[in-house]
Amino acid sequence: MAAKPGIPKGTRDFSPVEMAKRNYIFNTIRDVYHLYGFQQIETPSMEMLSTLMGKYGEEGDKLLFKIQNSGDYFSGITDEELLSRNAAKLASKFCEKGLRYDLTVPFARYVVMHRDEITFPFKRYQIQPVWRADRPQKGRYREFYQCDADVVGSDSLLNEVELMQIVDTVFTRFGIRVCIKINNRKILTGIAEIIGEADKIVDITVAIDKLDKIGLDNVNKELAEKGISEEAIAKLQPIILLSGTNAEKLATLKTVLSDSETGLKGVEESEFILDTLQTMGLKNEIELDLTLARGLNYYTGAIFEVKALDVQIGSITGGGRYDNLTGVFGMAGVSGVGISFGADRIFDVLNQLELYPKEAVNGTQLLFINFGEKEAAFSMGILSKARAAGIRAEIFPDAAKMKKQMSYANVKNIPFVAIVGENEMNEGKVMLKNMESGEQQLVTAEELIGALTK
């Protein structure tokens, strides 16, 4: 007996129903991106390892899936190198390519390679899979989709405003209530400066980012363990515990950060974004959250994160401003800002809240029952008209028992069945059955199309 086939850990098959749900997510996000003037690009699944290596830090490099060279990949390798069993060194000889780890680095490479064809500011989006050789666990996969949108070649804060509008529009369409959290790297830098610990900014933000999970006392304990002075921790307290409206928080920060030029610049940027959005009538809450850190080594200005309000789950969208996306490829000074929707987490949220619209997951709308050659030939004419009218329709291919064909319609959740026997053919009509109510009516082809296209 042949061994049962399997798939690699951290990957998944998707059923037709799951794919319908996923496509609903992708299509909703894609439609909103188009509304705001973003254009789609795609980059190859594999990139040169020289493009990918060194862009994600040491840990990220370990998570890159490397692709073995074709042909005689032992040529040019000495016996000494083989016997050394140095995996990293041998991989660099055996592998010139790797699967993309994210969409950002390939995008930076794309901008540099196509700079003469691109009109700046360049508003692009990508909806493609990425791969990470991570340890698979619940909610973490080795293959997953990212839905990124970025604007490069513009410093204007109107880009940040529009990206927050996109986030608000997407989640409003999904029916998911969210809180959009915003912060600014410059504010965090200013805080570290005014408490006299500018070089400890990463330690400070990593600690305060855990406030909700471990509480204030444990945050302060972690700060002390990182070598931050008692005086600095004391100065940090009113900032960590800052509360009130966004306007009240900004007013306090202006006072607290009055001696930090960088910090005040961050406050000014945040104030512009929040004030402009207030006039746009967002459907979801937007909150200035000083504990939001998001990849501090990467972002240079505004940072965003989106939390679902009715489901316990991590961030479902994130992003921010970065000042030198293309610098690693020798093209300096290209500022950008972007967001990425977590399609897999959004999929889970929509499932838990049962928010998928019926029409998004229903496939075939109409099934013609097959009673034999004559009946099938008659049905095919009406079937063609139905499809021409945009109705998703099919005919059961075999003249099987009625019970089997009706069972097929039930399993596939097909809402309408067309029954064509000798009597129906004599009248040039079809018996249309509503599978939910059980109601049946004799209709012409035009009446059938009218009923299903209402």
Side-chain angles (χ1 to χ4, degrees):
M1 187 174 150
K4 188 179 177 184
I7 58 174
K9 282 184 179 176
T11 64
R12 293 164 291 169
D13 288 324
F14 294 106
S15 69
V17 170
E18 287 170 324
M19 278 312 304
K21 290 178 175 181
R22 287 171 69 79
N23 284 330
Y24 166 67
I25 293 169
F26 296 141
N27 291 339
T28 301
I29 293 169
R30 186 182 287 112
D31 288 348
V32 176
Y33 282 159
H34 286 163
L35 273 181
Y36 285 80
F38 285 77
Q39 295 176 297
Q40 186 171 17
I41 68 164
E42 285 199 351
T43 58
S45 298
M46 54 183 167
E47 295 273 351
M48 302 305 293
L49 275 178
S50 56
T51 297
L52 301 173
M53 294 290 283
K55 311 303 188 300
Y56 308 106
E58 197 177 325
E59 284 306 305
D61 282 352
K62 289 177 187 172
L63 299 181
L64 288 170
F65 274 112
K66 298 169 181 69
I67 299 171
Q68 189 174 282
N69 295 339
S70 53
D72 182 10
Y73 48 82
F74 280 106
S75 63
I77 297 176
T78 65
D79 289 346
E80 188 182 348
E81 284 174 321
L82 280 172
L83 291 168
S84 73
R85 301 174 69 86
N86 185 324
K89 194 172 181 181
L90 286 171
S92 69
K93 301 266 186 177
F94 288 163
C95 310
E96 293 174 351
K97 299 172 283 293
L99 293 176
R100 62 169 172 253
Y101 178 90
D102 70 357
L103 299 178
T104 305
V105 169
F107 173 49
R109 189 265 311 148
Y110 177 95
V111 171
V112 174
M113 279 186 68
H114 298 271
R115 68 177 92 180
D116 296 331
E117 307 152 33
I118 290 171
T119 301
F120 292 100
F122 182 39
K123 300 171 82 170
R124 89 76 169 92
Y125 77 88
Q126 263 175 283
I127 299 176
Q128 287 187 275
V130 299
W131 293 267
R132 296 182 186 178
D134 216 340
R135 186 170 64 84
Q137 53 188 284
K138 185 174 169 56
R140 180 173 289 179
Y141 304 100
R142 286 177 167 170
E143 179 185 59
F144 56 96
Y145 268 75
Q146 290 188 335
C147 308
D148 288 15
D150 291 79
V151 187
V152 294
S154 168
D155 295 322
S156 171
L157 292 172
L158 287 178
N159 297 315
E160 277 87 337
V161 169
E162 287 214 326
L163 288 171
M164 293 305 92
Q165 287 180 279
I166 285 172
V167 168
D168 183 65
T169 306
V170 165
F171 286 111
T172 299
R173 289 191 178 192
F174 285 143
I176 299 172
R177 293 191 321 120
V178 297
C179 177
I180 304 166
K181 293 177 178 285
I182 180 173
N183 199 6
N184 195 297
R185 165 69 195 257
K186 296 182 181 81
I187 290 177
L188 294 167
T189 301
I191 290 168
E193 282 176 10
I194 60 116
I195 67 169
E197 299 281 4
D199 58 329
K200 296 276 179 67
I201 180 169
V202 174
D203 290 335
I204 292 167
T205 51
V206 164
I208 64 176
D209 195 36
K210 299 174 185 172
L211 186 64
D212 287 344
K213 297 186 191 90
I214 64 175
L216 183 61
D217 290 344
N218 286 320
V219 166
N220 290 337
K221 186 180 173 187
E222 187 170 320
L223 289 167
E225 286 168 358
K226 294 291 184 183
I228 293 157
S229 70
E230 279 185 34
E231 185 186 356
I233 293 171
K235 283 183 182 176
L236 200 55
Q237 299 310 291
I239 301 167
I240 294 178
L241 298 170
L242 196 59
S243 60
T245 65
N246 291 331
E248 287 166 350
K249 289 176 185 176
L250 288 166
T252 303
L253 285 171
K254 282 178 189 173
T255 306
V256 171
L257 298 175
S258 57
D259 292 333
S260 169
E261 188 180 337
T262 303
L264 288 176
K265 180 68 177 165
V267 173
E268 183 189 323
E269 290 178 5
S270 301
E271 189 166 38
F272 176 85
I273 294 166
L274 290 165
D275 285 353
T276 308
L277 286 169
Q278 200 167 11
T279 67
M280 299 294 171
L282 295 191
K283 302 287 192 296
N284 290 284
E285 178 189 353
I286 185 157
E287 177 194 346
L288 180 66
D289 182 356
L290 296 186
T291 67
L292 176 59
R294 283 198 72 79
L296 273 179
N297 296 333
Y298 183 74
Y299 294 114
T300 54
I303 41 185
F304 324 111
E305 198 163 270
V306 179
K307 298 277 189 184
L309 295 178
D310 300 316
V311 171
Q312 282 290 98
I313 199 166
S315 164
I316 53 177
T317 298
R321 164 75 63 173
Y322 41 82
D323 276 344
N324 199 15
L325 173 75
T326 54
V328 289
F329 297 115
M331 182 182 171
V334 179
S335 181
V337 59
I339 54 171
S340 182
F341 287 95
D344 294 279
R345 284 186 173 176
I346 292 169
F347 178 86
D348 291 340
V349 171
L350 288 170
N351 270 338
Q352 285 185 55
L353 299 177
E354 297 182 348
L355 287 173
Y356 287 102
K358 225 176 192 177
E359 60 272 18
V361 293
N362 281 352
T364 302
Q365 295 167 274
L366 175 66
L367 172 71
F368 281 81
I369 299 295
N370 185 341
F371 287 123
E373 284 183 30
K374 282 192 300 180
E375 292 86 347
F378 179 89
S379 297
M380 289 296 283
I382 302 172
L383 179 60
S384 295
K385 288 180 182 176
R387 285 174 176 158
I391 296 165
R392 301 185 299 278
E394 59 181 291
I395 185 167
F396 200 85
D398 306 303
K401 288 182 179 177
M402 178 83 157
K403 186 179 177 182
K404 181 177 180 179
Q405 297 188 52
M406 296 299 271
S407 174
Y408 175 84
N410 279 322
V411 169
K412 287 190 71 176
N413 285 317
I414 299 173
F416 290 95
V417 164
I419 300 165
V420 177
E422 197 170 328
N423 293 338
E424 286 79 17
M425 285 195 295
N426 289 338
E427 291 194 47
K429 293 185 176 182
V430 170
M431 185 65 75
L432 183 65
K433 179 171 183 174
N434 182 320
M435 294 293 283
E436 193 173 329
S437 67
E439 183 188 339
Q440 294 187 172
Q441 54 179 327
L442 196 62
V443 294
T444 63
E446 290 70 27
E447 287 169 340
L448 179 147
I449 289 165
L452 270 76
T453 53
K454 271 181 186 174

